[in-house]
Amino acid sequence: MKSHPRNARIKGDPFLPSRFIFGDAVEEKGLEPYEYVIHTEEPAFVCRLVGMDLTPFEGRDQDGFCSVVLYDENHHLTHYVTNSGFRLFDFNFWGELPTAAQLHKICDEAMQAYQRLQKAYITREIAPKERDFRLVPTEPLPPPERQARIRELVSLTQESVSSPVKRIQLAAMIQQVLSGGDQAVFTESQLALLDIPAARSLLLSGARDAIALPEVMRADGTVASYELWAFPLIFSRTQGGLWWHFPLLEQVEPILGEVLGLAPETILWMSPTIFTVDALAERNCQSLIHLAATMDAGCDLALYDVAASRASFEAASKVNESQLVLAWLPFIVERGKLSLGQVRQHARTALDSTMPLVQQALSAEMLYGEAELFMPLPWWDALAAGTHAYNRKRLAMAMALLAANGMPEGVFAVAEYLPEHQAYDLQIHNQEGMLLTRTLWLLVPDLSPDRPLAWQDLVSCLQQSGVAVTELAPRLH
């Protein structure tokens, strides 16, 4: 482009503006107390617009939309008023003047456009900007390459037990293995070390730190250090299917940072993707390694293909299926900026402030019954706290139903481990062996779920209820 000569005639652009243009105007004291409406087509005009108008006219109290064009004989002015409280006045026309009927029709169309504009403003303010999705990679390695990677990780872990230098290499390899698309590499490696507890513990602790204390390498070469925290969440649902992406959860970020007493410049990012027990169990929490890097890049993590997942959810939602859902709402904070004592101090305020926003985010995407939010905790602590609360809630509901029907004598329980669900199937029988009720007792999601710990917790809870429990031997298929 080049500069215009001072006396050059300016040609109009061929691109026509919108038919109706709405906007504010500025005077010496600031914004004028009304908006302006410009009609760009014939008959072209500009007028002022105000709301909360109570000008009397026949039809003011009518149900539904009603409008009229009035003439003020004292001031020789035309007014357009509606029973929804809007008034257009101070009409200035260019060209041929319209009739009252023509102006009435144009103003009705202007009000329809204005209402659409206000809805668009509200949507823009409420809904966050759409962001790109990053899909969790799932690319199984060929069997020979997988076995080679397993041997390499196992060997390096064993060497790292006695070599601090090797531990640095091990941390890098753990990050690489978890970030890959083959979850079997890490799982098989930690199982191969069952007979070497020190090495297995080193491998698992290194992987847990990589997830809970992520280091993100950015494109400019800088490194960002975060901590992964989460809100445990339990909610009920009468329909089948579950959804996992809730964009409105981003509204929690500024409120949460403020109530926890974080400095305004501190990074706190809430993940719109929530994690259910099934989502974590599917990959034994390994997909979490991608969470911090995805949020740091301004993207959202997709657990599955978004379009296919939405279609499956909508189809499943047509089925009636009562369910109690356990999930976690993760967020990342700059490392060292948030302490557990600080969270405990402000826990009640944080829950009271964030719960309405969480409910709004859930209801915007799916129907649910009741929701219960728990205090935010560091990631692995949040997993344990949420699972313990969920197990006890389900067990209490089962026992309450039995008590309501009259608790029979000689009640006993049998628990069978279900590897595909990472849970115990808890069955409660009467003295004659008839099944009274059953429920699931979940293991805490982890890179290597601790089954003995879950069993001890189950036995302890049932003992407090006076119910003996025995474990069925696992069935071999």
Side-chain angles (χ1 to χ4, degrees), residues 90-103:
D90 288 353
F91 289 90
N92 286 271
F93 296 94
W94 291 275
E96 186 176 350
L97 299 178
T99 63
Q102 289 175 326
L103 182 62

Side-chain angles (χ1 to χ4, degrees), residues 232-235 275-277 324-328 383 386-387 390 442:
L233 172 70
I234 298 176
F235 62 91
F275 291 82
T276 63
V277 172
L324 188 65
V325 181
L326 171 62
W328 287 270
L383 289 186
T387 306
Y390 179 82
L442 301 177

Side-chain angles (χ1 to χ4, degrees), residues 271-287:
S271 169
T273 299
I274 71 171
F275 291 82
T276 63
V277 172
D278 292 337
L280 293 172
E282 185 176 353
R283 290 177 60 86
N284 283 345
C285 297
Q286 293 183 33
S287 56

Side-chain angles (χ1 to χ4, degrees), residues 29 33 86 100 145-146 168 217 286 353 356 363 386 414 416 423 435 438 443 457 475:
K29 297 181 180 179
F86 292 103
E145 186 177 347
R146 174 189 291 173
I168 299 175
M217 177 69 74
Q286 293 183 33
S353 301
S363 61
V414 176
E416 180 184 3
L435 179 65
R438 69 196 308 168
L443 274 63
D457 192 32
R475 292 174 292 182

Side-chain angles (χ1 to χ4, degrees), residues 133-204:
F133 281 102
R134 284 189 179 180
L135 193 64
V136 173
T138 52
E139 299 175 2
L141 297 173
E145 186 177 347
R146 174 189 291 173
Q147 292 304 316
R149 295 287 288 168
I150 292 172
R151 287 193 298 269
E152 184 181 5
L153 181 56
V154 169
S155 175
L156 182 58
T157 304
Q158 291 174 316
E159 295 174 6
S160 300
V161 174
S162 58
S163 175
V165 175
K166 292 294 184 180
R167 292 187 187 184
I168 299 175
Q169 299 176 14
L170 179 62
M173 180 172 284
I174 289 173
Q175 183 81 22
Q176 186 179 13
V177 167
L178 292 178
S179 300
D182 194 338
Q183 71 183 72
V185 174
F186 183 85
T187 302
E188 294 293 333
S189 297
Q190 60 91 6
L191 291 175
L193 293 169
L194 280 172
D195 296 332
I196 313 175
R200 184 169 181 267
S201 176
L202 181 63
L203 178 62
L204 289 173

